[in-house]
Amino acid sequence: MFDNLDGLIEAFNNGHTRALARVISRMENDDSERYKIIENIYPRTGKAYVLGITGAPGAGKSSLIDKLLTFLREKGDTVGVIVVDPTSPFTGGALLGDRIRMEEHFQDSGIFIRSMGSRGNQGGLAKTTQDVVKAMDAFGFQWVIVETVGVGQTELDIMHVVDTNIVVLTPGAGDSIQMIKAGIMEIADIFVVNKCDLPGADKVAADIEMMQDLRYEQLKWRPPVVKMSAINVLGFTELLESIEKHHFFLKKAGLLDERRKKRAANETLDIVNYQLRRLVKQQAELPGKVNEILNKVALRQQDPYSAAVEILKNVILDSKFFV
């Protein structure tokens, strides 16, 4: 039944967990099958609340999620977890070791954990993470939690995938100002200072508050700073309260629907951009008009801007490429 894609989608719609696992694998490995799967399951999406967990390597993201799962399950909520691990630039493999930290939840039918290799994708996520979120959403999970690879100041893709984004920082990890400046500061809906039982946690929390005071724009939502210890199970009640407050704020201000609408538009435009790049690249590798235009640019007979417009016109007007 699972070998046939239509049968697999039917089993997925009927709530078979094995079908969910197979659907995700098919989406990761085959673009054409991913398109068909999304086409079938997309009307069932939009119900899950998507939570992002991001931060530097070693910040305790996986340990935080492990304990957070326990708290959410005590409430009776179901949770899908996506853990993105870095892929080796040498072997192309990924350790997928974060699952080890959450092994106690594997037998819980209300939790589904999926590890994904980044496969060289930049931004802290894998290429298909957004589609895997849709799969877990359509499957019926009330929460979908996405953990990024260990990130720095510029890996900000998570902001385009989740409803609430949690940035995890720790004391003793160098200059805290370096981690909380620029983009990382702006994508956080909630700051977590993990390992708060270590020296320097209060300073990190104070630095975050200071940086927020220095922001010039008027903040509609001031990200709270939650001090936590995943090992000693401290601060989780405060974290859940902060998540619920942010969710309530987004809904009351009409920002949740606005975020999701903007996210859908940006995703669609990204797909358009990807398809156009793929088509243009295909045509550039063949004799023809596109190749001729590129040769003119190389010979300084045409500038790149007018050449790009001409290439787009040629590709778009040649409708056979979109069949």
Side-chain angles (χ1 to χ4, degrees), residues 287-299:
K289 184 66 175 177
V290 172
N291 195 269
E292 292 174 9
I293 296 170
L294 291 174
N295 285 333
K296 286 183 179 179
V297 175
L299 295 170

Side-chain angles (χ1 to χ4, degrees), residues 247-305:
H247 186 187
F248 178 76
F249 163 77
L250 291 176
K251 291 190 73 174
K252 185 178 180 181
L255 295 174
L256 183 60
D257 289 338
E258 183 181 319
R259 279 191 177 193
R260 291 180 172 181
K261 183 178 179 181
K262 186 176 180 180
R263 187 189 309 161
N266 288 337
E267 182 184 8
T268 304
L269 292 175
D270 285 343
I271 294 170
V272 170
N273 183 51
Y274 169 77
Q275 295 289 4
L276 274 176
R277 286 177 63 87
R278 182 178 63 86
L279 290 169
V280 170
K281 186 176 180 181
Q282 286 176 352
Q283 291 308 297
E285 293 171 352
L286 299 172
K289 184 66 175 177
V290 172
N291 195 269
E292 292 174 9
I293 296 170
L294 291 174
N295 285 333
K296 286 183 179 179
V297 175
L299 295 170
R300 303 293 192 275
Q301 296 174 356
Q302 188 171 1
D303 70 276
Y305 289 98

Side-chain angles (χ1 to χ4, degrees), residues 51-64:
L51 193 64
I53 311 288
T54 189
K61 299 186 294 296
S62 299
S63 299
L64 186 152

Side-chain angles (χ1 to χ4, degrees), residues 127-186:
K127 175 185 173 184
T128 55
T129 299
Q130 205 161 3
D131 290 329
V132 177
V133 169
K134 293 186 187 72
M136 290 188 175
D137 183 0
F139 196 74
F141 289 108
Q142 293 164 279
W143 295 82
V144 178
I145 299 176
V146 182
E147 179 193 342
T148 71
V149 301
V151 301
Q153 295 170 3
T154 58
E155 293 85 353
L156 310 178
D157 283 358
I158 189 70
M159 66 180 291
H160 304 300
V161 177
V162 303
D163 299 314
T164 296
N165 190 39
I166 298 172
V167 173
V168 184
L169 303 168
T170 57
D175 183 1
S176 58
I177 300 295
Q178 283 296 104
M179 262 309 297
I180 61 178
K181 68 182 182 180
I184 284 289
M185 190 72 190
E186 294 164 7

Side-chain angles (χ1 to χ4, degrees), residues 64-301:
L64 186 152
I65 293 172
D66 178 49
K67 297 297 186 294
L68 188 58
L69 289 175
T70 301
F71 278 79
L72 291 174
R73 290 299 290 144
E74 286 176 354
K75 293 174 55 184
D77 294 348
T78 56
V79 192
V81 181
I82 302 167
V83 180
V84 184
D85 287 295
T87 298
S88 169
F90 302 103
T91 65
L95 181 59
L96 307 181
D98 285 334
R99 297 180 67 180
I100 298 171
R101 299 184 179 93
M102 306 178 201
E103 61 182 348
E104 66 178 274
H105 301 293
F106 284 158
Q107 302 303 316
D108 188 338
S109 60
I111 294 174
F112 183 88
I113 301 170
R114 180 72 178 209
S115 293
M116 304 176 65
S118 62
R119 302 191 182 189
N121 198 56
Q122 302 299 311
L125 300 177
K127 175 185 173 184
T128 55
T129 299
Q130 205 161 3
D131 290 329
V132 177
V133 169
K134 293 186 187 72
M136 290 188 175
D137 183 0
F139 196 74
F141 289 108
Q142 293 164 279
W143 295 82
V144 178
I145 299 176
V146 182
E147 179 193 342
T148 71
V149 301
V151 301
Q153 295 170 3
T154 58
E155 293 85 353
L156 310 178
D157 283 358
I158 189 70
M159 66 180 291
H160 304 300
V161 177
V162 303
D163 299 314
T164 296
N165 190 39
I166 298 172
V167 173
V168 184
L169 303 168
T170 57
D175 183 1
S176 58
I177 300 295
Q178 283 296 104
M179 262 309 297
I180 61 178
K181 68 182 182 180
I184 284 289
M185 190 72 190
E186 294 164 7
I187 69 168
D189 297 307
I190 299 169
F191 285 103
V192 163
V193 179
N194 198 19
K195 308 178 185 179
C196 68
D197 47 340
L198 297 179
D202 290 339
K203 183 180 186 307
V204 174
D207 286 342
I208 297 169
E209 296 287 8
M210 179 190 70
M211 291 292 288
Q212 294 196 85
D213 289 337
L214 293 175
R215 292 177 68 175
Y216 295 108
E217 70 272 23
Q218 184 67 35
L219 294 175
K220 295 179 181 178
W221 166 264
R222 183 185 175 99
V225 182
V226 182
K227 289 188 286 188
M228 298 182 57
S229 171
I231 293 178
N232 295 319
V233 198
L234 299 174
F236 281 88
T237 301
E238 292 81 358
L239 177 60
L240 285 171
E241 288 176 355
S242 295
I243 294 169
E244 289 172 359
K245 285 179 181 177
H246 185 245
H247 186 187
F248 178 76
F249 163 77
L250 291 176
K251 291 190 73 174
K252 185 178 180 181
L255 295 174
L256 183 60
D257 289 338
E258 183 181 319
R259 279 191 177 193
R260 291 180 172 181
K261 183 178 179 181
K262 186 176 180 180
R263 187 189 309 161
N266 288 337
E267 182 184 8
T268 304
L269 292 175
D270 285 343
I271 294 170
V272 170
N273 183 51
Y274 169 77
Q275 295 289 4
L276 274 176
R277 286 177 63 87
R278 182 178 63 86
L279 290 169
V280 170
K281 186 176 180 181
Q282 286 176 352
Q283 291 308 297
E285 293 171 352
L286 299 172
K289 184 66 175 177
V290 172
N291 195 269
E292 292 174 9
I293 296 170
L294 291 174
N295 285 333
K296 286 183 179 179
V297 175
L299 295 170
R300 303 293 192 275
Q301 296 174 356

